[in-house]
């Protein structure tokens, strides 16, 4: 059985070599179909990787407590956030003092989203976020201080006029590589000394943390106070595996701080750092299904083209088939030979299509600056699909070839 299989493969390779141009065109037909399928799905895997990377920069072991959820709008579907009572400064501080789970906790609040910062004659666009926070903000939010230093505990306690600015803010205010550390800038109507510059982090779905500045939280409470100002509590657990346990303890503690009964619903929202990423990836499932259907339709067209070429091949090789039958080849042998030939051609096309699909799909990885994606599942699926396509495309031409009359075939020209 094995020797017969190997012999069929050898004969298929000899036939492919003897009809090289036709074989190359057939391989390209299959390669284009597989390239479309693997390329689209590889690109989608790259997008998923980018989303995960973009939204989990804060860390897979982080979560936040807020007074509202996320507002997500995708296509015709929209998830509106629930609004709960504001989280007061005293509630946030009580939580920070009483939460004894091994973790790093920061408290922050948004003072403004449309601030303009000035230094001498230079000023930013009115799109700078002003954030009031403590000295743990950079840790829980995934930022690094690139120049200068972080806040000290005294600066937080006394609300000192110091500021840490984002990289975009620094480049707009301080031209010609001027060192911003120690300079006095205007944030709104107040004057602040720059003590640090955050490392560039890039944008996330249109929002750039580099266009922001961070002030001590008590300074914001004094100079940027607003009615019903709500605070955000960010928690970074020391161990990723204990994140759910940390969330459970945080939920229990904050319910107690808000004096909720057992039967009461929670009037706050706990958001994991990768919540939005998972929501977006879940919505990408529909895109994946659509892309798979498009790829399979393309492959179906390739299969029809392959079948047509194999039917032409049967006609061209009628005399050859007659000779084989005359020297003892059975219908089964002829049929297996043609099926083997289509399978070999499809596998060549599949391998070429997979290579091209991975390269084309990973153009997305280069654009989004994500790691090179090797879609092992789609590679294996591509090989299996090519095998199935080879059998389907080759079976009808093979049956036609096996039924040819040897005498009529021998005198066919």
């Amino acid at each position: 059985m094995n020797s017969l299989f190997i012999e069929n493969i050898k004969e298929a390779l000899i036939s492919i070599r003897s009809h090289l141009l036709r074989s190359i065109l057939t391989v390209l037909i299959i390669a284009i179909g597989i390239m479309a399928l693997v390329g689209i799905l590889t690109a989608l895997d790259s997008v998923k990787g980018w989303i995960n990377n973009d939204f989990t920069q804060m860390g897979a072991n982080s979560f936040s407590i807020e007074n509202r959820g996320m507002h997500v709008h995708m296509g015709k579907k929209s998830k509106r956030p629930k609004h709960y009572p504001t989280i007061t400064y005293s509630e946030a501080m009580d939580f920070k003092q009483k939460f004894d789970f091994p973790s790093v906790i920061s408290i922050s609040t948004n003072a403004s989203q449309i601030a303009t910062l000035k230094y001498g004659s230079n000023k930013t666009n009115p799109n700078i976020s002003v954030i009031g926070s403590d000295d743990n903000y950079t840790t829980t939010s995934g930022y690094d201080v690139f120049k200068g230093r972080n806040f000290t505990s005294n600066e937080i306690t006394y609300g000192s006029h110091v500021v840490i600015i984002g990289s975009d803010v620094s480049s707009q205010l301080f031209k010609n590589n001027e060192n911003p550390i120690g300079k006095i800038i205007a944030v709104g109507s107040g004057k602040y000394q720059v003590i640090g510059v955050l490392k560039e982090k890039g944008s996330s779905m249109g929002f750039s943390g580099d266009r922001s500045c961070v002030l001590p939280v008590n300074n914001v409470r004094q100079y940027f106070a607003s009615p019903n100002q709500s605070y955000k509590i960010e928690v970074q657990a020391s161990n990723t595996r204990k994140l759910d346990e940390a969330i459970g303890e945080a939920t229990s503690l904050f319910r107690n701080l808000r004096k909720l009964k057992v039967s009461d619903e929670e009037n706050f929202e706990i958001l994991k750092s990768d919540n939005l990423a998972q929501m977006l990836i879940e919505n990408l499932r529909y895109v994946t299904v659509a892309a798979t259907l498009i790829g399979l339709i393309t492959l179906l067209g390739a299969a029809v083209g392959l079948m047509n070429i194999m039917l032409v091949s049967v006609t061209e090789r009628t005399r050859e088939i007659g000779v084989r039958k005359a020297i003892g080849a059975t219908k089964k042998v002829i049929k297996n030979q043609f099926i083997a030939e289509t399978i070999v051609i499809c596998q060549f096309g599949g391998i070429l299509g997979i290579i091209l699909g991975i390269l084309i799909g990973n153009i997305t990885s280069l654009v989004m600056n994500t790691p090179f994606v090797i879609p092992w599942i789609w590679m294996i699926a591509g090989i299996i699909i090519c095998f199935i396509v080879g059998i389907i495309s080759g079976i009808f031409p093979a049956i036609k070839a096996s039924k040819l009359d040897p005498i009529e075939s021998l005198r066919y020209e």
Side-chain angles (χ1 to χ4, degrees):
M1 182 69 180
N2 287 336
S3 60
L4 183 61
F5 174 77
I6 293 170
E7 187 64 29
N8 281 331
I9 297 297
K10 286 180 179 178
E11 289 295 326
L13 292 172
I14 291 169
S15 176
I16 289 169
R17 197 184 310 154
S18 60
H19 302 88
L20 193 58
L21 180 60
R22 184 182 65 209
S23 299
I24 290 173
L25 292 174
T26 310
V27 166
L28 287 175
I29 288 173
I30 296 299
I32 290 170
I34 292 294
M35 180 185 70
L37 181 63
V38 174
I40 292 171
L41 295 172
T42 301
L44 283 173
D45 284 345
S46 297
V47 172
K48 290 176 185 178
W50 171 74
I51 290 172
N52 267 323
N53 180 65
D54 215 39
F55 282 95
T56 57
Q57 291 181 67
M58 201 168 59
N61 57 338
S62 300
F63 64 92
S64 63
I65 304 175
E66 303 180 41
N67 72 320
R68 56 179 293 175
M70 290 181 295
H71 184 191
V72 180
H73 182 82
M74 299 191 72
K76 294 182 179 179
K77 294 183 179 180
S78 178
K79 180 184 176 182
R80 295 192 174 279
K82 292 182 179 180
H83 289 266
Y84 299 110
T86 58
I87 297 175
T88 64
Y89 179 73
S90 60
E91 285 176 334
M93 288 301 296
D94 285 346
F95 178 90
K96 185 174 181 179
Q97 291 167 5
K98 294 178 180 179
F99 190 63
D100 56 3
F101 195 90
S103 59
V104 178
I105 303 171
S106 75
I107 297 169
S108 61
T109 185
N110 285 321
S112 175
Q113 296 288 339
I114 53 171
T116 300
L117 276 59
K118 298 177 183 177
Y119 173 68
S121 60
N122 299 328
K123 65 178 183 178
T124 66
N125 294 323
N127 60 351
I128 306 302
S129 300
V130 179
I131 299 163
S133 187
D134 56 18
D135 52 339
N136 289 333
Y137 176 77
T138 53
T139 302
T140 59
S141 298
Y143 285 101
D144 292 317
V145 178
F146 176 60
K147 291 181 181 178
R149 60 176 177 82
N150 198 0
F151 297 126
T152 64
S153 56
N154 281 339
E155 287 169 341
I156 298 296
T157 302
Y158 296 111
S160 302
H161 279 65
V162 291
V163 60
I164 300 172
I165 58 177
S167 58
D168 282 359
V169 176
S170 177
S171 61
Q172 289 180 49
L173 293 182
F174 301 97
K175 311 291 184 180
N176 302 321
N177 295 321
E178 185 179 359
N179 186 8
I181 305 302
K183 302 295 191 299
I184 304 298
I185 66 172
V187 180
S189 58
K191 302 292 184 181
Y192 294 83
Q193 183 183 35
V194 178
I195 62 168
V197 178
L198 297 175
K199 186 177 180 181
E200 185 177 355
K201 196 175 180 182
S203 62
S204 173
M205 298 294 284
F207 170 78
S208 176
D210 302 325
R211 292 194 303 270
S212 63
C213 69
V214 187
L215 308 177
V217 64
N218 282 330
N219 185 280
V220 167
R221 290 181 65 210
Q222 184 175 357
Y223 296 100
F224 290 86
S226 61
N228 299 319
Q229 190 163 25
S230 187
Y231 290 80
K232 176 181 178 181
I233 304 167
E234 290 183 287
V235 181
Q236 187 178 76
S238 59
N239 193 323
T240 305
R241 292 190 296 273
K242 293 185 177 181
L243 179 62
D244 291 336
E245 184 182 342
I247 291 174
E249 288 201 23
T251 304
S252 176
L253 174 59
F254 208 72
R255 285 179 64 90
N256 289 334
L257 291 176
R258 290 209 151 181
K259 298 179 172 56
L260 297 176
K261 297 177 182 177
V262 176
S263 57
D264 292 340
E265 283 189 17
E266 290 163 8
N267 59 358
F268 55 91
E269 191 83 23
I270 290 189
L271 301 173
K272 290 171 67 176
S273 60
D274 60 349
N275 272 11
L276 184 54
Q278 295 305 317
M279 291 171 65
L280 291 171
I281 288 173
E282 186 177 343
N283 279 275
L284 276 178
R285 286 185 308 168
Y286 305 108
V287 181
T288 303
V289 171
T292 305
L293 288 175
I294 292 169
L296 290 175
I297 290 169
T298 306
L299 201 56
L300 179 63
V304 172
L306 174 59
M307 184 183 293
N308 184 53
I309 288 175
M310 292 306 297
L311 286 170
V312 172
S313 175
V314 171
T315 303
E316 289 180 350
R317 296 162 63 187
T318 301
R319 190 176 181 84
E320 177 194 329
I321 294 166
V323 171
R324 289 180 181 276
K325 283 197 168 187
I327 59 177
T330 63
K331 287 184 177 181
K332 185 178 180 180
V333 170
I334 299 294
K335 185 164 62 176
N336 288 343
Q337 182 190 332
F338 271 85
I339 290 175
E341 189 173 325
T342 54
I343 290 173
V344 170
I345 289 173
C346 279
Q347 292 304 319
F348 280 144
I351 292 169
L352 178 60
I354 287 169
I355 294 170
L356 292 175
I358 291 172
L359 293 175
I360 291 172
N362 274 288
I363 291 174
T364 309
S365 297
L366 290 174
V367 172
M368 294 184 170
N369 198 27
T370 56
F372 192 87
V373 176
I374 300 178
W376 295 107
I377 294 176
W378 300 120
M379 288 169 65
I380 295 169
I383 297 294
I384 295 171
I385 289 170
C386 283
F387 182 79
I388 295 170
V389 167
I391 292 176
I392 293 172
S393 301
I395 190 129
F396 182 66
I399 292 172
K400 182 181 177 182
S402 67
K403 288 183 177 180
L404 289 175
D405 185 87
I407 296 173
E408 292 296 327
S409 299
L410 283 168
R411 62 188 183 191
Y412 177 82
E413 284 293 341

